[in-house]
């Protein structure tokens, strides 16, 4: 950490302007954190906004009505209008609320939804932190959100909120275990907890044939995928598992007493969590960034990477060692004219496109289910998770373990090589 | 020997029952019903319905204003079945006055009562789906209800409160255009009905939520005076249109829908729901027959401008979408208004069974049970 701060102070800030280099360590670190977090928050906000709009339009389509189509062309600015409305709303806390918990809960939920993005790859090289325990990290921080929601259920001193929080606590115990076991199936097959490596393995066969979800790769992963998706619906409190906020029973469940921006936090967190679950499912089961035609753009061995190109372009310094900003800017811009820059760029972009498109398809399925199915009852949720999903997910883990020990993580590969 | 010290239960960990007010402002109490539920966690131990939030003194008003002036007020009882309400009230006044209404008017009354029954059951279907967390069936139900409302609007000018049946007949005759609209509705509705069943009735989750939930035994149903789909859902084949035919119901052919316990126990929520679904198709049959056999002639009998009824009393009942709607009128020949007007409201009697049925179940079941009873607060509180 200290090294990184020093690097920023001496090699980056001081070169731009000497007084900047003299900033205290804490300020530099805070700045670095804010600059680093901005893209994640922006991405999350965009995802949440796009899907609040998307969900309402899809719901409109399913329900034979229009949905929002007034603000902006085809209503695309509706989420913006909603956001402004929520910001402008009065922030009300009920009398008798536990104020510190009441105010902390939405933040905790929001942060819990935000943190998994750190380990989540967007494309092969586009990942904020390619951590070795990525799967574990994502699952762990998804669970933080639950604590926030239980707090939100308790704090406002409302019986309906309390019911929502209680239901979520019960529901979480039920779905977390099968969900984790389903991911463990993939981990057993892949032999790694790193999300990037799990995804990398599923390449080849025109970018579509080696996805974990295909039964010829591993029938256990196929089963695990569907169970993971069901668990994911429960984890993100989506219908038919939206019991914690069941409006026909609990008014609005845990967010009954929240208004304005605090409610917006819950709302954003829900959509962000949905994206996280879908992205994890995509990375672990649906081949992540792999897709047709992408391999044609694969860089040859030893080809310069984007950072190589940029590093070469940005080297102009003045005599006393300060960087010559304009010349470097020109150098950086000139890189844009080179195919050597665009080829790896397109390679990554196509990967990101495939990953996000697959995730969005899963999100669409979630929305589709929400507007089609009735809600199930709490005892049925727990019965299903503990008595149906749990044994089957255990079976998947055992099966996957046996498969990796006796054959190969990819049955098809093993069968093909056995034929030779 | 020393006594073994048992650890005392920690008082801070004791559980206690929670008294929750469900309503009067709550999304699934269908208006301003207040349910007080005593809960132990998710389990509901007891449910008390509290009513009266929508009391508008109907009976008192009906004793103050003249007989024809009461008719539009009856629309506001069960505001989802205005045609049926007015039909029943007009029958009571006509019986007392000895007015014989023209056959065409009788047929028209039946046609619109049955169409209104379909519209009412469509709403019941939609809101029941909403109660169980499915949003889309509600809008599908409204899509077809809209066609019916258009028909009602063409014939009466209103979309909710019609004031169409009048003492001595109906307000006006149907035009060929309205007849064509009704035929069109009869043609398209069966396939929409099949769509509802695919979407909701046979949905696995829906069946899990409603089958074996809120079972009303036939003897309980009779004891509490339930009528309509709630009674028939419990397997009792009692329908006033068959048992005591009024208007032209003895001339049309239709079946009584009865709960069979198809998905669970006889008298569960699914049965009550299913009775309504089947009734929609039966009503469609009645409308079809009435429209084909619609006699020519006037639609309004001669009624005195200032209507005074002879001394006497009359009680008429009609099969409303929610059950038996009865009007009891006592008249005095010197007065132009009723001495006493009493309404026997089906929703009121049906709601009384809640306390008996909605206990030792889950919170979600209370919603399912109250939804399946299908109350309209306008009629409960009057």
């Amino acid at each position: 950490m200290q090294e990184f701060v020093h690097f920023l102070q001496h090699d980056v800030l001081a070169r731009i302007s000497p007084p900047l280099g003299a900033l205290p360590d804490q300020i530099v670190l805070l700045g670095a954190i804010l600059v680093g977090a901005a893209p994640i928050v922006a991405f999350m906000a965009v995802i949440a906004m796009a899907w609040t709009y998307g969900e309402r339009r899809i719901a409109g389509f399913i329900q034979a009505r229009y949905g929002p189509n007034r603000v902006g062309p085809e209503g695309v600015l509706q989420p913006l209008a909603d956001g402004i409305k929520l910001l402008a709303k009065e922030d009300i806390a009920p009398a008798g609320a536990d104020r510190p918990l009441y105010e902390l809960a939405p933040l905790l939920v929001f942060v819990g939804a935000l943190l998994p993005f750190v380990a989540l790859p967007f494309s092969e090289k586009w990942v904020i932190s390619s951590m070795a325990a990525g799967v574990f990290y994502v699952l762990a921080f998804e669970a933080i959100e639950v604590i926030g929601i239980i707090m939100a259920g308790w704090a406002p001193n409302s019986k309906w909120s309390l019911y929502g929080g209680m239901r979520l606590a019960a529901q979480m115990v039920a779905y977390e275990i099968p969900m984790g076991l389903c991911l463990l199936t993939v981990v057993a097959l892949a032999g790694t907890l790193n999300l990037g490596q799990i995804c990398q393995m599923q390449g080849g066969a025109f970018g579509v044939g080696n996805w974990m979800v295909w039964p010829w790769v591993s029938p256990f992963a196929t089963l695990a995928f569907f169970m993971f998706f069901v668990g994911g619906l429960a984890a993100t409190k989506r219908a038919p598992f939206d019991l914690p906020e069941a409006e026909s029973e609990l008014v609005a469940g845990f967010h009954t007493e929240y208004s304005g921006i605090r409610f917006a936090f819950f709302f954003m967190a829900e959509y962000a969590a949905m994206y996280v679950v879908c992205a994890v499912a995509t990375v672990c089961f649906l081949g992540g960034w792999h897709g047709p035609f992408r391999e044609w753009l694969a860089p040859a061995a030893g080809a310069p990477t984007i950072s190589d190109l940029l590093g070469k372009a940005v080297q102009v310094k003045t005599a006393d060692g300060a960087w010559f900003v304009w010349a470097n800017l020109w150098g950086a811009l000139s890189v844009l004219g080179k195919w050597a820059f665009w080829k790896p760029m397109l390679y990554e972009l196509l990967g990101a496109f495939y990953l996000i498109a697959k995730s969005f398809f899963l999100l669409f399925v979630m929305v589709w289910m929400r507007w089609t199915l009735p809600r199930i009852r709490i005892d049925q949720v727990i019965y299903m998770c503990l008595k149906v999903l749990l044994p089957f997910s255990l079976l998947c883990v055992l099966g996957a373990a046996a498969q990796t020990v006796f054959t190969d993580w990819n049955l098809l590969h093993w069968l093909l090589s056995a034929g030779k | 020997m020393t006594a073994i010290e048992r650890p005392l239960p920690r008082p801070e960990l004791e559980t206690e029952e929670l008294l929750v007010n469900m309503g009067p402002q709550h999304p699934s109490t269908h208006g301003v019903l207040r349910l007080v539920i005593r809960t132990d966690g998710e389990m509901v131990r007891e449910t008390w319905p509290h009513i009266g939030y929508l009391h508008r003194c109907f009976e008192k008003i009906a004793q103050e204003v003249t007989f024809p002036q009461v008719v539009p007020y009856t629309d506001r009882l069960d505001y989802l079945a205005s045609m049926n309400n007015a039909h029943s009230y007009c029958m009571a006044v006509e019986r007392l006055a000895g007015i014989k209404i023209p056959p065409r008017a009788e047929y028209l009354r039946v046609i619109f009562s049955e169409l209104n029954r379909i519209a009412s059951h469509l709403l019941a279907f939609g809101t029941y789906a909403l109660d169980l967390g499915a949003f889309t069936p509600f809008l599908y139900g409204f899509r077809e209800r809209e066609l019916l409302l258009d028909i009602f609007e063409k014939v009466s000018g209103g979309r909710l409160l019609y004031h169409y049946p009048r003492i001595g007949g109906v307000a006006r005759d149907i035009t060929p255009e309205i007849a064509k609209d009704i035929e069109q509705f009869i043609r398209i509705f069966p396939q929409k009905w099949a769509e509802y069943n695919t979407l909701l009735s046979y949905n696995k989750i829906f069946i899990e939520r409603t089958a074996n939930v809120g079972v009303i035994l036939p003897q309980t149903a009779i004891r509490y005076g339930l009528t309509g789909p709630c009674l028939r859902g419990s397997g009792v084949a009692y329908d006033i249109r068959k048992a005591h035919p009024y208007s032209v119901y003895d001339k049309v052919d239709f079946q009584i829908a009865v709960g069979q316990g198809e998905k669970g126990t006889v008298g569960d929520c699914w049965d009550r729901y299913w009775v309504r679904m089947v009734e929609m198709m039966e009503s469609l049959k009645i409308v079809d027959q009435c429209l084909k056999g619609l006699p020519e002639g006037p639609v309004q009998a001669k009624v005195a401008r200032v209507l005074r009824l002879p001394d006497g009393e009359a009680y008429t009942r009609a099969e409303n979408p929610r059950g038996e709607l009865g009007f009891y009128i006592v008249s005095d020949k010197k007065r132009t208004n009723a001495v006493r007007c009493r309404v026997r409201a089906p929703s009121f009697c049906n709601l009384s069974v809640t306390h008996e049925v909605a206990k030792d179940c889950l919170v979600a079941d209370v919603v399912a049970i109250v939804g399946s009873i299908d109350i309209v607060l306008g009629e409960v509180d009057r």
Side-chain angles (χ1 to χ4, degrees), chain A residues 159 163 167 248 371 375, chain B residues 19 28 39 42 132 135-136:
Chain A
K159 288 170 185 171
Y163 270 113
R167 279 188 178 183
S248 59
W371 298 103
R375 182 184 306 117
Chain B
L19 212 59
S28 57
T39 58
E42 280 277 334
L132 297 176
F135 299 88
T136 304

Side-chain angles (χ1 to χ4, degrees), chain A residues 62-65 159-160 163 166-167 240 247-251 370-380, chain B residues 19-21 26-28 39 41-42 130-133 135-136 139-140 203 205 208-209 213 362 364-365:
Chain A
I62 290 174
Q63 300 184 332
R65 59 187 175 87
K159 288 170 185 171
W160 298 120
Y163 270 113
M166 256 165 48
R167 279 188 178 183
E247 72 272 35
S248 59
E249 295 151 29
L250 304 185
V251 190
R370 170 166 180 197
W371 298 103
T372 310
L373 295 178
R375 182 184 306 117
I376 67 179
R377 219 165 48 197
I378 185 75
D379 60 322
Q380 290 161 352
Chain B
L19 212 59
V20 184
N21 273 309
H26 187 279
S28 57
T39 58
E42 280 277 334
L130 267 187
D131 286 346
L132 297 176
F135 299 88
T136 304
L139 283 127
Y140 278 30
N203 180 297
I205 297 175
E208 287 288 323
R209 281 295 306 277
V213 169
L362 294 159
D365 290 338

Side-chain angles (χ1 to χ4, degrees), chain B residues 80-135:
Chain B
L80 298 177
S82 303
M83 295 279 188
N84 305 56
N85 298 340
H87 186 176
S88 181
Y89 179 78
C90 292
M91 282 197 312
V93 175
E94 283 152 11
R95 183 180 295 175
L96 272 172
I99 299 168
K100 185 91 180 74
I101 76 161
R104 188 172 173 89
E106 287 282 20
Y107 272 83
L108 286 178
R109 280 183 181 182
V110 169
I111 287 173
F112 285 104
S113 290
E114 293 305 316
L115 284 179
N116 207 161
R117 188 187 312 279
I118 297 173
S120 169
H121 282 347
L122 276 175
L123 197 104
F125 155 81
T127 51
Y128 196 42
L130 267 187
D131 286 346
L132 297 176
F135 299 88

